[in-house]
Structure formats: C-alpha cells, structure tokens
Amino acid sequence: QQQVKQSPQSLIVQKGGISIINCAYENTAFDYFPWYQQFPGKGPALLIAIRPDVSEKKEGRFTISFNKSAKQFSLHIMDSQPGDSATYFCAASSGNTPLVFGKGTRLSVIA
Amino acid sequence: KAGVTQTPRYLIKTRGQQVTLSCSPISGHRSVSWYQQTPGQGLQFLFEYFSETQRNKGNFPGRFSGRQFSNSRSEMNVSTLELGDSALYLCASKETSGTDTQYFGPGTRLTVL
C-alpha cells in the first residue's frame, strides 16, 4: 500500500519557469513532510520540510504548500535553473515511524 | 562535521552469496536507517537502529538483517543474494529517533549477477 503518491513522474520545465510537484498522503497521523533532492550518484539531500501547523514554507526559490484538509502538499521551484535538474522525492512520517517516500519526480530544466 | 559515509561504494556479487555493507553516521547521531532504492520501487525502508536497538523494520524478508555498534556505526547484511537484490542501498542518520532531519550517505551500489 503506497501511503504517499507523487506526481508527475517526470517534468520538463524551461529555464526561468516554475516547477510544481505534487504529493498526496493517506495517513492523517503524518506530521512531518520533507522534500529531498537527489542528483545522479548521490544520496538524497533534504531540501525543505514542513509540519502541518503552517500552510506554506519558503526557502529561497523553493516553497512547500500544504493543504491538511485535502491531505496534499506540493513543492514549487521558482525561476527553475538547469542546476535544479534532479530527482525530487516527497516523504512523510509521524513520531518515531520511518519516512515513507513518494516514487520520485525526475525534473529536467532546459535552457 | 563529516557527512554519512558508506563502504564500499560499489559491489558485485553472484546469486547465493552474502554481503555486508557498512555505514558511519554523522558524529553525534544515534539513529541509523537503511533504505533500498530501485527504479521500480523507489526508496523502501529496511530498518532503523537507535542506540544499538532495532526501532523499526520494513517489509523485507529475513535475509536482510542489520546491527548497530556502540559507536553508532551500522552494518547491514544480505544473505543468499537474489538477482532482485540489485539496488542502491542508502544509509541515513539523525540525532534522535523522532522526526529530525535525516541525512543520507552516497549509497552502496550492489549488483547481483
């Protein structure tokens, strides 16, 4: 049973455009929602994370939007750059439970 | 601080063999988790160790096992390797067993022939 559904699987965005990746979860006990970025040959690296007490969190060009009632959260990358080309994973967890990851989105930013 | 380190980075084994992978967490981190990453299944949780005790276990067969030492270093072992065990095995560490930031190592690429 996949507890976190991520879409799209792949995304191509023009340089300077906005990249949007969406995730939906089922377990209402989840209270921690991180996004990870992974480059080829590297392990995932934490990009930004949010907890359900806020609806939005922004760090530089990266913003998480969180909709608790819809059980959805999304990552927005503003002014997308070729260096942002990577695979992005959303995840969720609660308390001492392990992170449950979405299947990933491969982002390609083209000039 | 040095990041999470994993050794070896690459391994080639044949079916039926066993393999041991090693992970050194960030200094001060007491929780170590292991994940299997494959193109089809994505990142799947194997197990978590905290202060030498297994805290959580994923849905993997008993051929997959792990342990943690008193210095927080961890090893995972896969016995009787199958072709489907070919994957990137990632180790991640964090300070506590709660919802802290989890830091991943570069992974060990295991190929089973």
Side-chain angles (χ1 to χ4, degrees):
Chain A
Q1 180 186 8
Q2 185 184 358
Q3 295 187 55
V4 179
K5 293 184 179 180
Q6 183 171 346
S7 62
Q9 279 189 301
S10 62
L11 182 62
I12 299 174
V13 173
Q14 292 276 351
K15 179 183 174 183
I18 302 173
S19 303
I20 301 174
I21 304 170
N22 301 298
C23 282
Y25 62 96
E26 300 164 7
N27 188 345
T28 54
F30 287 151
D31 62 1
Y32 176 66
F33 303 89
W35 284 90
Y36 282 82
Q37 179 189 56
Q38 185 177 28
F39 293 104
K42 304 282 188 183
L46 179 69
L47 199 57
I48 186 172
I50 197 169
R51 294 188 186 270
D53 52 342
V54 296
S55 60
E56 186 175 282
K57 183 174 181 179
K58 184 176 180 179
E59 289 184 3
R61 296 184 295 110
F62 301 92
T63 300
I64 298 180
S65 296
F66 184 79
N67 186 329
K68 188 173 181 178
S69 61
K71 293 187 287 185
Q72 295 175 346
F73 58 111
S74 60
L75 176 69
H76 295 231
I77 306 174
M78 311 300 287
D79 187 28
S80 299
Q81 299 297 313
D84 297 329
S85 297
T87 300
Y88 293 80
F89 294 92
C90 63
S93 72
S94 67
N96 294 329
T97 64
L99 282 172
V100 177
F101 285 86
K103 296 255 177 158
T105 296
R106 181 172 290 184
L107 171 66
S108 297
V109 181
I110 56 175
Chain B
K1 284 184 181 177
V4 178
T5 58
Q6 293 186 245
T7 56
R9 292 293 312 277
Y10 303 92
L11 264 179
I12 299 176
K13 293 285 187 179
T14 56
R15 277 184 303 173
Q17 287 187 309
Q18 76 163 16
V19 67
T20 299
L21 312 182
S22 181
C23 171
S24 292
I26 292 172
S27 177
H29 286 193
R30 294 161 63 192
S31 168
V32 173
S33 295
W34 289 88
Y35 293 84
Q36 181 194 65
Q37 185 175 25
T38 58
Q41 297 300 316
L43 280 151
Q44 291 190 290
F45 172 76
L46 281 155
F47 26 67
E48 178 193 5
Y49 287 87
F50 180 78
S51 293
E52 301 178 68
T53 301
Q54 188 178 86
R55 280 297 184 97
N56 290 292
K57 188 176 190 304
N59 189 25
F60 278 82
R63 300 185 296 108
F64 292 81
S65 63
R67 60 177 175 168
Q68 187 180 33
F69 302 96
S70 58
N71 62 357
S72 294
R73 192 177 68 84
S74 177
E75 289 181 348
M76 70 163 279
N77 183 278
V78 188
S79 62
T80 319
L81 283 166
E82 300 177 0
L83 295 179
D85 296 333
S86 295
L88 180 68
Y89 289 89
L90 292 159
C91 167
S93 77
K94 57 184 178 178
E95 286 190 41
T96 71
S97 63
T99 53
D100 286 333
T101 298
Q102 201 164 59
Y103 297 88
F104 282 84
T108 294
R109 172 72 63 184
L110 172 64
T111 302
V112 182
L113 302 176

